[in-house]
Amino acid sequence: MKEYKGKFTTKLFWAGCGLCAGWFVFNLTGKLTHSLFISSIAALLIVAGFMYKVFYLDNISLIMTDERELLIKRFGKIIKTFVIDKYDWSEYSKYCNTKNAEDQDIYYVSKETGNEDYIDATNFSDDDYQQILTALGAKNTNEQPVKVTTTKK
């Protein structure tokens, strides 16, 4: 059993981004409305939204069990369980064949229903992210690439 946890430095970075976004919104709404109350409320909403996302929604750990299950834990409580073999795993969405370089999402498609969803792994280090994808079978290292032959006219 292996547990992958998010990096604290990544959480601090995104918390700093939230504070900067709150400061920007505070200044912008202060210039537009000339009201300290309205600009303070708008800034607090932005900062609270960032903190909720970073320290609650994205504060997960992934556990790979020996029984081929993936457990998602938040604050020590298991919130979701996957049987790995019942899903197709990928680092790309089934609707798109390209990936943003900073995007660290793990996409999964149910083999029974065909529904797609994703796990946001932004707070994980790149090495942990790559190890998770390999363990889930999203990185097929032993498959030969498809060779395409072209003909010249």
Side-chain angles (χ1 to χ4, degrees), residues 16-53:
C17 289
L19 291 173
C20 291
W23 181 253
F24 176 76
V25 168
F26 175 78
N27 287 324
L28 183 66
T29 55
K31 297 239 187 256
L32 294 175
T33 64
H34 302 292
S35 171
L36 182 65
F37 180 73
I38 293 173
S39 60
S40 298
I41 294 297
L44 284 175
L45 287 174
I46 296 296
V47 171
F50 261 87
M51 297 306 158
Y52 176 74
K53 180 181 180 342

Side-chain angles (χ1 to χ4, degrees), residues 39-99:
S39 60
S40 298
I41 294 297
L44 284 175
L45 287 174
I46 296 296
V47 171
F50 261 87
M51 297 306 158
Y52 176 74
K53 180 181 180 342
V54 170
F55 291 108
Y56 182 74
L57 290 180
D58 292 347
N59 192 22
I60 61 172
S61 61
L62 299 176
I63 301 172
M64 308 284 286
T65 65
D66 297 331
E67 293 84 27
R68 300 273 304 148
E69 289 184 336
L70 176 68
L71 308 174
I72 301 177
K73 281 177 52 174
R74 181 180 293 137
F75 299 118
K77 182 180 175 188
I78 297 173
I79 59 171
K80 202 160 193 178
T81 303
F82 296 99
V83 177
I84 294 173
D85 298 328
K86 290 186 178 182
Y87 295 91
D88 290 322
W89 301 90
S90 176
E91 61 183 323
Y92 304 100
S93 172
K94 71 178 182 178
Y95 303 111
C96 182
N97 59 356
T98 60
K99 178 183 173 191

